[in-house]
Amino acid sequence: MKTHLISAEDVPYIWDDVGPMLHRIREHSEGELETDDFLDHLMNGGMQLWISTEDKEIVMSAVTQIISYPQKRVLRVIALAGENFREVHDNCINMVEAFAIKHQCSALELWGRKGWKKMLPDWNSNYIVFTKDLKERMH
């Protein structure tokens, strides 16, 4: 298995393979982004696209974004889709961490379901993001 950071210029060439994979995460989101919303950000460098391949087949795709808080920078994992997550994680975490450090990020951040804790035992779970939908009250 190999992991690749895709250059902004190359994103359009693999989007037809990656887009449907990323579309699957919608069912676990709060509707913040549609799949195609990633595309502009990936092509202008505001987000980064990572893929893992096995036998020339894409088995995982991920989107990250550098977030600058007032007191620190983090590399946030915004989307992660595919299969063999444990193997992919073990294969690519050093590369992702090196990218984060190179860009002066002092931490990685992932907002996800509680089930991710089993996959990420060396990550801290400092808080859970709770949400309440107010769309019905907006009209």
Side-chain angles (χ1 to χ4, degrees):
M1 180 175 299
K2 293 184 180 183
T3 299
H4 313 272
L5 175 59
I6 305 302
S7 70
E9 299 82 30
D10 290 337
V11 168
Y13 299 112
I14 64 165
W15 187 249
D16 287 345
D17 296 319
V18 173
M21 186 179 288
L22 290 171
H23 184 74
R24 294 185 290 195
I25 68 161
R26 287 187 68 241
E27 66 187 69
H28 301 292
S29 76
E30 294 291 319
E32 299 89 347
L33 294 164
E34 293 290 331
T35 308
D36 287 339
D37 294 337
F38 292 118
L39 190 54
D40 284 339
H41 294 285
L42 292 168
M43 291 189 323
N44 73 23
M47 293 179 180
Q48 303 79 39
L49 178 63
W50 304 78
I51 62 168
S52 289
T53 58
E54 193 165 42
D55 299 324
K56 298 184 181 181
E57 179 183 338
I58 298 173
V59 295
M60 185 278 310
S61 58
V63 176
T64 59
Q65 183 177 31
I66 296 172
I67 305 295
S68 294
Y69 291 111
Q71 301 301 316
K72 69 179 189 177
R73 286 167 61 97
V74 301
L75 183 66
R76 180 183 294 166
V77 179
I78 296 176
L80 183 60
E83 53 192 53
N84 302 329
F85 288 118
R86 189 168 309 281
E87 183 181 351
V88 168
H89 174 271
D90 294 346
N91 180 60
C92 75
I93 191 63
N94 290 336
M95 183 178 177
V96 173
E97 288 177 1
F99 174 87
I101 292 166
K102 178 181 176 183
H103 290 87
Q104 290 79 47
C105 296
S106 61
L108 299 179
E109 182 177 275
L110 181 143
W111 293 17
R113 297 176 288 130
K114 291 179 189 178
W116 279 107
K117 182 60 182 161
K118 291 180 277 185
M119 283 281 308
L120 305 169
D122 60 335
W123 289 51
N124 293 324
S125 176
N126 293 329
Y127 55 88
I128 297 171
V129 177
F130 291 92
T131 62
K132 181 177 180 180
D133 192 349
L134 300 176
K135 283 183 259 179
E136 291 179 11
R137 293 182 52 198
M138 292 175 65
H139 302 288

